Amino acid sequence: NELEDLPSLFLARIRLLCTRVQALRNNGETARALAVAREIEGVLELLLPGTAEYDESIMHGTFACALAYAAVGDMQTAHDFSARSVPHARRLLGKVSGALNTISTHGVITSRFESTAALDQLLNVDVQAGGVFRGPEEFQMHRVHICRARVHMLLRDEIAEENLRNTETAKVSQDLTDVYAKSFALGYLPQAAASSLLLGALNTVHDLEIALNWFSKSIVCAGRARQQETLLSAQSNFAQLERQKHGVTDRGTALAVSALDLMLASLSSESSPDTSLRMNLLRPAMAQMVCYLANASDGRAEQTYHTFPSLMPFFTDRSLKILREDRPSHCSVDCLKIRNFDIYAY
């Protein structure tokens, strides 16, 4: 009897650890989330196929590992784990909560490398998931994931024909606005934060004032939902656009400081922060915040620059007030270089 209970005990253990990974990741404690993910990996090695709990255990465990590795910047390992979760999640669609989100998240991770392939995966999920049980929160996040791949196609100029690009821009804006309105009204704050972040990124090309409005909504929703990664992205994006539109302001400086503090906190447990994978993700945004604070005559700019020597190639000189046009923003798969901005839309 005790041996028969083991699969259920393993599943309960994995779900508990997965919840810890989510909580730590949302709180910006990425190194601790990775430590828990490695504990999950150990439990996964003990699982034997053939039990009713096997698919669910593998799905939840590999999904959590993918999130943890993505948060620290190891995108290839994150992609490998999310790919492992997909076959199990497909078998559980309509039976277990979280199956749709697992498959959908694999599409999001794929979009960091290739937008078209990611969109194909996400739309395929939508067709296959038709008529099966989907919680409303999970479904709205799946819509966000589809829109994210579409936004990245637009911002990476993967749609060359102007009329098609304009039509797609209007459609994805309408879809994201609908997701935001429904999610905010129903209290689904992570979905509202993510959709408004994407709307801000999309409008960065067309109207800075509208983009600032959407980034401000994302800041509010992400802060209330304790979604630290989204909050960091929205604050960094807002500060960049604020300086371009209005110059150095008190609110822009406050958000630049807050974004920088979140970045530094997420790097605090790294043994070599400046050369870590996490820093690879954050470096373009950190350089932007250092530049903003240098223009605000804030001493934290110089202090951060000395702490992280890898920021040097981003600046034209030691004043830290001007970023190089050929700065290596491409080193971060999360960064979209739009004109003189380094925009984060994850």
Side-chain angles (χ1 to χ4, degrees):
N1 286 337
E2 290 181 0
L3 290 176
E4 291 177 358
D5 291 338
L6 276 178
S8 296
L9 292 173
F10 281 140
L11 175 59
R13 176 65 175 164
I14 286 173
R15 297 198 70 161
L16 176 62
L17 293 173
C18 291
T19 301
R20 288 185 61 196
V21 168
Q22 290 268 26
L24 290 167
R25 177 179 175 273
N26 290 345
N27 202 40
E29 300 179 68
T30 55
R32 291 184 62 194
L34 182 59
V36 177
R38 286 172 173 155
E39 189 175 346
I40 292 174
E41 291 180 55
V43 178
L44 292 176
E45 292 178 359
L46 300 175
L47 300 178
L48 294 175
T51 64
E53 296 85 359
Y54 180 73
D55 277 332
E56 191 172 353
S57 297
I58 295 291
M59 180 191 78
H60 287 301
T62 51
F63 172 70
C65 290
L67 292 182
Y69 278 102
V72 298
D74 188 347
M75 298 310 305
Q76 188 56 60
T77 303
H79 190 266
D80 292 344
F81 270 107
S82 67
R84 281 180 58 191
S85 71
V86 169
H88 305 279
R90 288 193 186 281
R91 288 194 286 269
L92 294 171
L93 275 174
K95 303 173 185 177
V96 174
S97 177
L100 176 61
N101 192 44
T102 297
I103 303 170
S104 183
T105 299
H106 177 59
V108 174
I109 293 174
T110 302
S111 74
R112 284 167 152 98
F113 303 100
E114 216 284 293
S115 303
T116 303
L119 184 58
D120 289 343
Q121 290 177 17
L122 289 162
L123 293 174
N124 185 44
V125 171
D126 206 30
V127 171
Q128 293 194 26
V132 306
F133 169 79
R134 294 174 293 192
E137 290 182 73
E138 189 175 30
F139 178 59
Q140 292 302 331
M141 188 56 82
H142 182 58
R143 293 183 66 196
V144 169
H145 290 166
I146 291 174
C147 288
R148 179 178 281 115
R150 294 165 67 191
V151 167
H152 280 239
M153 288 180 67
L154 288 165
L155 296 182
R156 289 170 175 163
D157 293 325
E158 293 176 12
I159 302 177
E161 209 280 310
E162 185 176 0
N163 288 335
L164 287 176
R165 187 167 63 248
N166 292 338
T167 300
E168 176 63 4
T169 298
K171 287 181 178 178
V172 74
S173 295
Q174 183 178 3
D175 289 346
L176 282 168
T177 302
D178 182 66
V179 171
Y180 174 81
K182 290 178 178 175
S183 298
F184 188 80
L186 294 170
Y188 304 153
L189 294 179
Q191 291 83 344
S195 56
S196 50
L197 180 73
L198 289 168
L199 281 162
L202 191 60
N203 280 283
T204 298
V205 179
H206 307 290
D207 191 316
L208 294 187
E209 203 61 53
I210 293 176
L212 283 167
N213 182 52
W214 281 115
F215 286 141
S216 67
K217 293 179 188 296
S218 184
I219 289 168
V220 171
C221 294
R224 289 171 60 185
R226 294 191 62 80
Q227 299 285 311
Q228 300 290 70
E229 293 292 287
T230 306
L231 179 61
L232 184 161
S233 295
Q235 289 179 336
S236 170
N237 295 347
F238 187 100
Q240 294 177 56
L241 270 61
E242 173 80 352
R243 179 170 166 244
Q244 177 74 19
K245 183 74 174 177
H246 304 291
V248 174
T249 64
D250 288 343
R251 68 175 182 175
T253 301
L255 290 173
V257 169
S258 179
L260 183 59
D261 284 345
L262 288 173
M263 294 181 217
L264 296 177
S266 73
L267 291 165
S268 61
S269 56
E270 297 282 354
S271 57
S272 301
D274 194 37
T275 57
S276 65
L277 290 169
R278 174 70 177 170
M279 184 62 178
N280 286 347
L281 291 183
L282 299 177
R283 197 172 287 113
M286 186 179 290
Q288 286 280 359
M289 296 306 96
V290 167
C291 183
Y292 189 107
L293 294 175
N295 281 276
S297 300
D298 190 307
R300 277 167 286 202
E302 190 74 22
Q303 180 182 353
T304 304
Y305 179 79
H306 285 300
T307 304
F308 298 96
S310 65
L311 294 175
M312 189 180 300
F314 283 78
F315 296 93
T316 59
D317 56 46
R318 286 295 306 278
S319 73
L320 308 180
K321 292 185 177 182
I322 303 175
L323 290 163
R324 295 169 57 112
E325 290 188 9
D326 61 344
R327 61 191 179 277
S329 300
H330 61 273
C331 69
S332 171
V333 294
D334 278 6
C335 178
L336 296 167
K337 190 173 181 180
I338 304 172
R339 295 186 294 188
N340 58 328
F341 306 120
D342 292 303
I343 297 299
Y344 284 66
Y346 284 98

